[in-house]
Amino acid sequence: MKALQDKIVQDGKVLSETVLKVDSFLNHQIDPKLMQEIGQEFANRYKDAGLTRIVTIESSGIAPATMAGLILGIPVVFARKRKSLTLAGNLYSSKVHSFTKNETNEISVSKDFLKSDDVVLIIDDFLANGEAVKGLLDIVGQAGATASGVGIVIEKGFQDGGKLLREKGIRIDSLAIISSLEDGKVTFAEGELAR
Amino acid sequence: MKALQDKIVQDGKVLSETVLKVDSFLNHQIDPKLMQEIGQEFANRYKDAGLTRIVTIESSGIAPATMAGLILGIPVVFARKRKSLTLAGNLYSSKVHSFTKNETNEISVSKDFLKSDDVVLIIDDFLANGEAVKGLLDIVGQAGATASGVGIVIEKGFQDGGKLLREKGIRIDSLAIISSLEDGKVTFAEGELAR
């Protein structure tokens, strides 16, 4: 997605060969117009998939997921990273390790908002080693729902999450795939993966 | 705001005389269409305020804030509740106690995304005792920015946060003000507060 790639080049900060900071438009500050364009792109790709619900994870997945949900006319559920008092019980849960934050969170979705007849698009901001997506797929599976695919804003193509998930036959739509952050420079993957 | 009041009556769950659960459209599952209407309402009320930025707090403030930001054409910053590794340093921070979750979080906003010439609308999902709003106002003040007002989706009018903030001269725009949750029933405040 060209507008996203341009934004990454313009405003992203390469902190190391593995860390790209996009706090200025996705992870801390949000660019609502770009989120709308991202939501539109996900909606275009999944408009014929018969989706009934979008599942994402707090916090950075919420903005693009909500935009996609608005365009597709379906609700969005965001998995919570900790159990809150009002959410206790009645949950699907899975453990997710974040290498960036070096911590393991239990993510949870209420059984009220994910049913066995749901056809789900999973949306998340980043795909690196795939831990968060695996946790969300686990939760969708626990509900007996169908995961139609996974929409990712930025995939770190040099980490193995995308490869492992695609090898399992899971449809992954990444709007920008980064093949390298070497020499402080963002290089995008080309060809069919980048679509 | 009628559509919001109707949704609260239809889908909200009164768990006690102080707890209203709106997990089906705001705090866990998100109704994107309603979020757009809420964003439009905030945008209408603040369209002449010269806003340059919206500040909210993860996670439930993000969807309505992003919709308002889209309509107003300004960026949204969400305060983080914990320091993440990539955000360390360069932060405005404030302590916020959540009575619902019975925990105190440090909330933080990067100095990169809040400047002394900013005119800010603060948006949050709930206003009860006002702790989160006070923390966000503290952060806006640390940046030397101007808080034009506070947009709240649901105010618990029977708790004192709204009263205390209004007494300080802070403009509060609550789209639904609940005066009571007694007898398992939602009663809304009428008159000028409810606008």
Side-chain angles (χ1 to χ4, degrees):
Chain A
M1 187 182 155
K2 176 116 189 1
L4 174 61
Q5 289 192 350
D6 290 349
K7 190 76 170 178
I8 292 168
V9 169
Q10 187 189 313
D11 291 344
K13 286 184 183 162
V14 180
L15 297 191
S16 73
E17 294 195 352
T18 56
V19 179
L20 172 71
K21 192 172 168 180
V22 289
D23 279 353
S24 65
F25 59 91
L26 182 60
N27 296 136
H28 183 27
Q29 181 165 259
I30 293 167
D31 179 333
K33 184 76 174 56
L34 182 65
M35 295 303 119
Q36 186 187 44
E37 291 167 15
I38 287 167
Q40 183 68 62
E41 180 67 26
F42 287 137
N44 290 348
R45 294 188 186 201
Y46 283 86
K47 63 181 188 300
D48 299 321
L51 298 180
T52 60
R53 223 178 286 254
I54 291 171
V55 174
T56 187
I57 183 168
E58 61 182 355
S59 290
S60 298
I62 294 175
T66 302
M67 291 299 179
L70 179 69
I71 296 161
L72 289 163
I74 56 176
V76 173
V77 183
F78 63 90
R80 288 206 167 270
K81 283 183 182 161
R82 288 174 299 178
K83 291 178 184 170
S84 77
L85 296 182
T86 54
L87 265 176
N90 196 38
L91 296 173
Y92 302 114
S93 295
S94 190
K95 282 194 168 40
V96 171
H97 184 72
S98 163
F99 291 93
T100 319
K101 296 187 180 175
N102 193 26
E103 62 185 22
T104 299
N105 286 296
E106 189 163 45
I107 65 168
S108 305
V109 169
S110 166
K111 292 183 181 178
D112 291 342
F113 307 125
L114 198 52
K115 302 294 181 185
S116 60
D117 57 357
D118 269 319
V119 181
V120 172
L121 171 62
I122 289 169
I123 288 182
D124 203 6
D125 58 337
F126 268 97
L127 172 61
N129 39 60
E131 288 295 306
V133 168
K134 276 185 263 179
L136 292 169
L137 284 166
D138 179 25
I139 281 174
V140 170
Q142 287 175 41
T146 304
S148 181
V150 178
I152 296 292
V153 181
I154 302 175
E155 177 178 344
K156 291 177 175 173
F158 54 86
Q159 291 183 247
D160 63 1
K163 181 167 174 286
L164 293 173
L165 291 165
R166 288 184 182 93
E167 281 175 0
K168 287 184 183 172
I170 295 159
R171 175 178 171 186
I172 311 282
D173 283 74
S174 298
L175 303 191
I177 301 179
I178 292 170
S179 58
S180 158
L181 293 171
E182 285 171 25
D183 304 323
K185 199 170 132 268
V186 180
T187 307
F188 295 102
E190 291 181 270
E192 63 181 315
L193 275 184
R195 300 180 72 150
Chain B
M1 186 180 155
K2 177 118 190 358
L4 174 62
Q5 290 192 350
D6 290 349
K7 190 75 170 178
I8 292 168
V9 169
Q10 187 189 313
D11 292 344
K13 288 184 181 163
V14 179
L15 297 191
S16 72
E17 294 195 351
T18 56
V19 179
L20 172 71
K21 193 172 168 178
V22 289
D23 279 353
S24 66
F25 61 91
L26 182 59
N27 297 136
H28 183 28
Q29 180 164 258
I30 293 168
D31 180 333
K33 185 74 173 55
L34 182 64
M35 294 304 118
Q36 186 186 45
E37 291 167 16
I38 286 167
Q40 183 68 61
E41 180 67 26
F42 287 138
N44 290 349
R45 294 187 187 203
Y46 283 86
K47 65 180 186 297
D48 300 321
L51 298 181
T52 60
R53 224 178 284 255
I54 291 172
V55 174
T56 186
I57 183 168
E58 61 182 354
S59 290
S60 298
I62 293 175
T66 302
M67 291 299 179
L70 180 68
I71 296 161
L72 288 163
I74 55 176
V76 174
V77 183
F78 63 89
R80 289 207 167 268
K81 282 181 181 162
R82 288 173 299 176
K83 291 176 184 171
S84 77
L85 296 184
T86 54
L87 265 175
N90 195 38
L91 295 172
Y92 301 114
S93 294
S94 190
K95 283 196 166 39
V96 170
H97 185 73
S98 163
F99 291 93
T100 318
K101 296 187 180 175
N102 193 27
E103 62 185 22
T104 299
N105 286 296
E106 188 163 44
I107 65 168
S108 306
V109 169
S110 167
K111 293 183 180 177
D112 291 341
F113 307 125
L114 199 50
K115 302 294 182 183
S116 60
D117 57 356
D118 269 321
V119 180
V120 172
L121 171 63
I122 290 170
I123 288 183
D124 203 7
D125 57 337
F126 267 97
L127 173 61
N129 40 61
E131 288 294 306
V133 169
K134 276 185 264 178
L136 292 170
L137 285 167
D138 179 24
I139 281 174
V140 170
Q142 287 175 42
T146 305
S148 181
V150 178
I152 296 291
V153 180
I154 302 175
E155 176 177 345
K156 292 177 174 173
F158 53 86
Q159 291 182 248
D160 62 3
K163 182 166 172 287
L164 294 173
L165 291 165
R166 288 184 182 92
E167 281 174 0
K168 288 185 183 172
I170 295 158
R171 175 177 171 185
I172 310 282
D173 283 75
S174 297
L175 303 190
I177 300 179
I178 293 169
S179 59
S180 159
L181 293 171
E182 286 171 24
D183 304 323
K185 199 171 132 266
V186 180
T187 307
F188 295 100
E190 291 182 271
E192 60 181 318
L193 274 183
R195 302 179 72 150

